[in-house]
Every structure is written in C-alpha cells, then in structure tokens.
Amino acid sequence: MRNIKTIVCGLLFGAVALPMGAQNEVPQWERFEKSLSFHTDKNPFTDVELTATFIHEGSGETLTVDGFYDGDDTYMFRFMPTKQGKWSFTTRSSERDMNGVEGALICTAPKCKGMMRTKGQDFVYADGTRYNPVGTTSYAWIHSTNERQEQTYQSLEESGFNKLRFCVFPNNSVYEWPTIYPFKLLSKTTDAAGKDHYVWDYSRFEPAFFRHLEECVDRLKTLNIEADLILFTPYDGGLWGFDRMTMENNNRYLKYVVARLASFSNIWWSMANEWDLCRAKTYDQWIEMSKLVAEKDPYHHLLSIHGGTAVYIDYNLPFYTHASIQDQGPLYNFEGAATVRNIIHKPVIFDEVCYEGNHASRWAQLSGEEMLERIWNGLIAGTYVTHGECFVKDMHNDKNYTGFAYLATGGRFEGTCPSRIPFTRKIIDSLPYSIRLADQSWDPNTACAGPDDYLIYFGGEKPKKWAFNLPTKCSRWPRIGEGVKFEIEIIDTWNMTIQKCPGVFETKFNKGRYRLIEKNDKSVKLPGKPYILLHLKKI
C-alpha cells in the first residue's frame, strides 16, 4: 500500500490543509482542502472515484463533496464549512489507498459575510446582510495577458462593482487566443486557408487552466466581488469546439468544475450566456445540465441561465435561484421591469441591457448617461441591472468584432458610467430596505425603501419643480396618512451630489384617501437637470 500523503496547499485565499492529527482551524465560509498522492495507469479524471463526507458534530449536518484530479499524481477534495464547530470527514474511493481516509477540522468564526443566498426577491449574504448586485461583464478577461488581467483587478476595485460576469471558455471575437485551455490539447493544425484546427481529449482536463481560474475567483473575493461564472457560450463558432461537445463531455466538464469551485464562497453558476444561440444544445438539455449542477453542488450556490434578447426560460423551475435576463425593453420605464419581477417570483437581474460604447452594432451604442439611467430604472422597479461597455478602437476591422473592449478582455474602463457606480451603491446600500414601487399600476413613478421612505426618480426628464404628491400606499409597509412630516434630499445621480431641500413637508389627504399632498401646498424646487432622484425620509 502506498503511503497517503497530506500536501499543504495554500491557494490565494482561505485554503487550509494541515497534516493529519493537527488542529485544522478554518473560518466559516472559507475553504478547507486536502490532497492525496496516488499514481494510477488509468485515466485519473474518469476512472478514479473520490468523495469525502463531512459531518458536523453538533447538528449532525452532513455534506458530501466530490474529489478531483489535480495533476501530478495528486487528488484533492475541498470543503466550505457552513457551521461553526467540529467537522469530521471520511473518504470513499474506488482506489483502496484513498478509501477510508479520516480527519477533522474546527470551523471558527467567519471573516467574511458568507456565500450568497436569496431571500424572497432579494439577495442576502449568509450572515443576513442585504446585497444589492451592481455588476459588470468581461467575458474573456481570464484569457487575456497578465498585464491586462492586473488592469482588470485595478479597474474593478476603483469602480466599486460588486459582481463580475465572465466565461470559462474563450471568445472567438477577441482574436487574442489563450495560452492554455480547459482540456488536454492533442494536436493543432492550420489549413491552407489559415484556419486553425484543434483536437482535444475531452476526457482529460488541464489542471493548470483551472488553477488559474480559481486564482481569479479568489482575487475577486479579496475585492468583495461575486464571481458570476458563465459555463457555456456560443462564442466559439466551432473554432475550438467547446460549444458543440457531446452531452457526455458536457456533463463531465460540469462535474469537474463544480468539484473544483463549489467550495469558493463567492461563486455563482451561470449555465450559459445566450443559451438559445448555442445551436448544438436543446432546451431539454439545458434543463438537464442545470439540474446536474444544482445536484452536484452541496452548498447550492446561486444558479441561473442567460438567454438572447427577450428570450426567457422558465425561471420558476426550482433549481434556478434568480433570473438572469437580457432585455432592455422593460428598462425604458419602471413599470415594465416591475411587471417582470411580479411574474418571476425570484430576484431579477437584467444582466444585459445593451452596452455603453461606440460599436457599429446597435447593442453597444449607449451613452454613459443612458447606461446609468437604465440601472436606476431597474433599481426603482425592485430589480437589478448589470453594467457593460464596449469601446472598440478599430471599428472598421471586421476581424476585431469586440477588439480589446472591456466587455471582451477586461483592462481599463473607458466609459463614463463606471465612475458613478460607487455613488450609486452608496445611495442604495444606505436605504433601510430594498426598493419596491409604492403603488404599482396606480403610480409607476414612486418607490419605497422602507416604511415612510420614498424615492422618486425623474430619469431623462428635466423638471424645475415637483409638487409634493405621494400615494398613501407604501408597497409592503403600512400606508401613511395625514400629519406625517418629511425631509427631502435632491440627489443628482449623474453629477453625484446630494442637496438637502430646506424646510419640512407635512402630508394631508387629497381628494380621498389614496393620495397625499403637502399641507401648505409646498413644492420642491428642482435644478432642471436630468437624472435627479428625490429621497423623502420621515422625520
């Protein structure tokens, strides 16, 4: 029998693995990992089974995680403790040398807010802290140069985005090919027309690729950014063939990704970007693969799937935790987005609403102001909107469809919207509750963020005054009546200023008990600029 070795593995963030018999201490929601050394002449990715079952001493909670092969005769399993206290584990394996390995760890107090959950139609960290996703997108940034990846981290930190959507697989519109791929490359040839042809062994993964992916996810965590990982895309066109793998290869790939990454607290699963454009897969296959990811993930991270413009899958299926939507139509006003939220009884993220940019295509021609307005339209409606930008330096080069735009390769932001994100987050994170329309269908312009806490967003309009007028209904909170006193802030969401309106405003009923006006008919003087937000707070 070969000796089973415990290898101390320190990934960039939170990974712990200590010799047997030592006191393994892991903060709650961080990562414990253990490596076992074993050599086989079989295919180590497909012909060797390894799982580890963890049992919590106090509650009896049991979690089983899949192990995986990490190359160089090294097998590994990872665990993210969900409860404080002692956890013991035992392995099961098809190989005798790795079967029945036992150990324990102590889960200590958390150093982070934990993994993301949904609560009703909102997002919360495991510790109950409300999370308002204000994210951005960069599909192939992990495949770009080291210099541009470092620029990506820096720009994300400066901009304050708290979610990043990106892909596992490369993007053929970038024309900057990766240096390493997810699968073992058997051969690469170039035909007379200059087209490359790749042959892969889909039964063997490239561990170095996944180690880099994990490093990226961990770096994002240090920036408090959720990693919304896109598992499939149509942006291959048969160049590499990752978009048209067999279901056997698809499922094997999914199991491997989940085994490696489910213990990362900031991971989200996005089954696809524009799933309906992946022509080699059927609707039923997407449902099958979504179920597989949900079943293989013992922690049940957030899971969704993104379609083409206005293509909606059945997000009310139990394994989808939220809706990830590409559709700018509902964002032209508040009521459209709120209607989508009323139909989908889960959190709604409009993950693509066109892009700020200069692209020849109509989907990337928004100004920064228009991009921010769509974000606020979604927020006022009780939904969330993901930012994106695509500034192409050479718009006349048809071989450079997205070029080195942030959308494709990351790097530095060039648009004007990202610099407004910290201010936007400061406003919404300071609210007592998540935002909802106050009296939808009857008043599509007024929102609430708690009892007696109102928001009115004027978007592109430029009013010079607002006659005090509110619905008595306050969304899910009690109605308000006469004699309630408010103070009002005038917030310029674009120029990032907050001005307190002088005086106190007191309510009285107006022609019945559905509307409220100011007792002395006072109005609010406005600057006559677009993108103004009023925040009314009860005194």
Side-chain angles (χ1 to χ4, degrees):
M1 180 181 295
R2 299 176 179 84
N3 291 327
I4 299 176
K5 303 175 183 177
T6 303
I7 303 172
V8 179
C9 293
L11 290 181
L12 185 65
F13 192 99
V16 177
L18 298 175
M20 295 297 292
Q23 184 80 350
N24 297 322
E25 291 191 353
V26 185
Q28 187 179 13
W29 307 114
E30 304 300 345
R31 193 165 63 252
F32 167 85
E33 60 185 32
K34 182 172 175 59
S35 301
L36 305 175
S37 181
F38 179 76
H39 176 76
T40 181
D41 294 328
K42 305 173 185 177
N43 184 334
F45 295 100
T46 59
D47 299 337
V48 176
E49 297 178 3
L50 174 65
T51 63
T53 298
F54 289 77
I55 301 176
H56 185 255
E57 187 176 78
S59 65
E61 179 179 341
T62 299
L63 291 172
T64 297
V65 301
D66 287 329
F68 58 91
Y69 183 62
D70 195 41
D72 301 323
D73 292 339
T74 300
Y75 292 79
M76 184 179 289
F77 58 88
R78 292 170 171 158
F79 175 64
M80 179 177 64
T82 56
K83 284 184 171 65
Q84 297 178 45
K86 183 178 180 180
W87 292 82
S88 59
F89 68 83
T90 305
T91 66
R92 294 190 64 180
S93 177
S94 57
E95 303 298 329
R96 184 176 59 179
D97 290 7
M98 294 193 293
N99 190 54
V101 177
E102 297 181 345
L105 63 95
I106 302 297
C107 176
T108 59
K111 295 183 178 180
C112 67
K113 297 176 183 179
M115 64 176 283
M116 196 62 59
R117 301 291 193 194
T118 61
K119 183 178 181 181
Q121 291 184 286
D122 298 319
F123 295 95
V124 294
Y125 289 99
D127 70 355
T129 304
R130 188 174 85 245
Y131 168 79
N132 298 305
V134 184
T136 190
T137 298
S138 186
Y139 292 132
W141 74 280
I142 69 168
H143 301 283
S144 62
T145 63
N146 291 336
E147 178 185 9
R148 194 150 41 248
Q149 289 181 45
E150 290 300 322
Q151 290 173 355
T152 304
Y153 292 123
Q154 182 178 351
S155 64
L156 287 169
E157 184 175 18
E158 293 171 352
S159 65
F161 289 112
N162 61 9
K163 182 172 81 80
L164 179 65
R165 302 175 64 236
F166 61 102
C167 304
V168 176
F169 293 128
N171 189 321
N172 71 357
S173 73
V174 174
Y175 281 82
E176 182 182 56
W177 301 151
T179 58
I180 191 168
Y181 293 89
F183 302 99
K184 180 178 177 60
L185 179 62
L186 297 179
S187 67
K188 175 187 173 183
T189 58
T190 305
D191 61 23
K195 182 179 180 181
D196 293 333
H197 298 271
Y198 297 82
V199 178
W200 309 97
D201 184 347
Y202 288 113
S203 71
R204 293 178 184 267
F205 299 97
E206 186 55 68
F209 170 87
F210 288 94
R211 292 188 205 114
H212 173 64
L213 171 60
E214 292 159 357
E215 180 182 333
C216 294
V217 174
D218 267 335
R219 285 281 298 272
L220 293 176
K221 182 173 179 177
T222 65
L223 301 176
N224 296 313
I225 295 173
E226 300 294 299
D228 196 352
L229 188 64
I230 300 168
L231 298 171
F232 291 100
T233 78
Y235 318 127
D236 188 317
L239 173 63
W240 298 291
F242 304 145
D243 59 337
R244 53 199 67 187
M245 297 188 297
T246 65
M247 280 299 287
E248 178 184 8
N249 291 332
N250 289 335
N251 291 339
R252 185 188 299 115
Y253 154 73
L254 292 173
K255 291 176 183 177
Y256 190 75
V257 170
V258 173
R260 292 198 68 119
L261 286 163
S263 60
F264 289 64
S265 64
N266 63 322
I267 202 75
W268 297 21
W269 308 121
S270 178
M271 293 304 303
N273 208 71
E274 299 183 316
W275 63 266
D276 53 306
L277 301 183
C278 298
R279 308 301 186 191
K281 298 177 181 65
T282 67
Y283 181 94
D284 289 341
Q285 287 173 335
W286 284 117
I287 300 302
E288 175 188 335
M289 291 188 294
S290 299
K291 286 181 181 178
L292 175 65
V293 171
E295 291 167 357
K296 299 303 291 184
D297 179 0
Y299 314 104
H300 306 297
H301 287 275
L302 299 188
L303 170 66
S304 194
I305 187 169
H306 170 279
T309 303
V311 175
Y312 290 62
I313 206 165
D314 184 0
Y315 289 109
N316 286 311
L317 290 168
F319 38 83
Y320 293 130
T321 58
H322 65 285
S324 173
I325 296 169
Q326 176 181 180
D327 195 357
Q328 66 273 14
L331 274 302
Y332 292 133
N333 54 51
F334 311 134
E335 201 164 12
T339 298
V340 172
R341 187 183 62 79
N342 286 344
I343 295 171
I344 300 172
H345 303 289
K346 295 176 181 180
V348 173
I349 306 181
F350 289 93
D351 269 320
E352 192 170 345
V353 295
C354 296
Y355 295 85
E356 179 182 5
N358 64 352
H359 202 281
S361 298
R362 59 182 179 174
W363 51 263
Q365 297 179 353
L366 295 180
S367 66
E369 291 89 341
E370 290 171 320
M371 183 81 248
L372 187 65
E373 182 180 13
R374 292 188 183 189
I375 291 174
W376 272 107
N377 281 348
L379 289 170
I380 293 295
T383 63
Y384 306 93
V385 177
T386 296
H387 160 274
E389 73 165 48
C390 184
F391 287 90
V392 181
K393 292 182 173 58
D394 185 1
M395 291 184 289
H396 304 290
N397 185 352
D398 61 0
K399 290 186 177 181
N400 215 352
Y401 185 60
T402 54
F404 297 110
Y406 196 93
L407 165 68
T409 61
R412 294 189 176 93
F413 290 112
E414 297 187 31
T416 54
C417 183
S419 61
R420 274 77 184 173
I421 297 305
F423 184 79
T424 302
R425 284 190 57 199
K426 178 182 177 181
I427 297 299
I428 60 176
D429 289 345
S430 69
L431 298 173
Y433 295 92
S434 54
I435 305 170
R436 298 287 187 269
L437 285 183
D439 193 4
Q440 190 177 345
S441 294
W442 295 99
D443 184 337
N445 300 311
T446 308
C448 290
D452 311 317
D453 196 292
Y454 286 86
L455 296 166
I456 300 172
Y457 179 61
F458 295 102
E461 299 177 12
K462 303 176 184 179
K464 294 185 177 181
K465 74 173 184 177
W466 174 70
F468 189 102
N469 196 310
L470 294 175
T472 59
K473 187 174 181 182
C474 190
S475 185
R476 47 190 163 164
W477 297 283
R479 290 177 180 266
I480 63 170
E482 291 188 316
V484 178
K485 296 179 179 180
F486 285 93
E487 61 181 10
I488 300 177
E489 291 177 336
I490 302 171
I491 302 172
D492 188 328
T493 62
W494 182 254
N495 293 304
M496 298 178 287
T497 61
I498 301 176
Q499 176 186 351
K500 188 172 181 180
C501 185
V504 174
F505 297 77
E506 185 174 344
T507 62
K508 73 173 183 179
F509 288 122
N510 180 40
K511 297 179 182 179
R513 306 181 72 84
Y514 293 107
R515 305 293 303 185
L516 295 159
I517 58 175
E518 210 282 324
K519 183 177 69 171
N520 298 311
D521 295 323
K522 292 167 64 175
S523 297
V524 177
K525 183 179 179 181
L526 297 176
K529 297 179 180 179
Y531 317 120
I532 298 298
L533 173 72
L534 294 185
H535 185 194
L536 290 74
K537 294 182 284 188
K538 178 183 175 182
I539 299 175

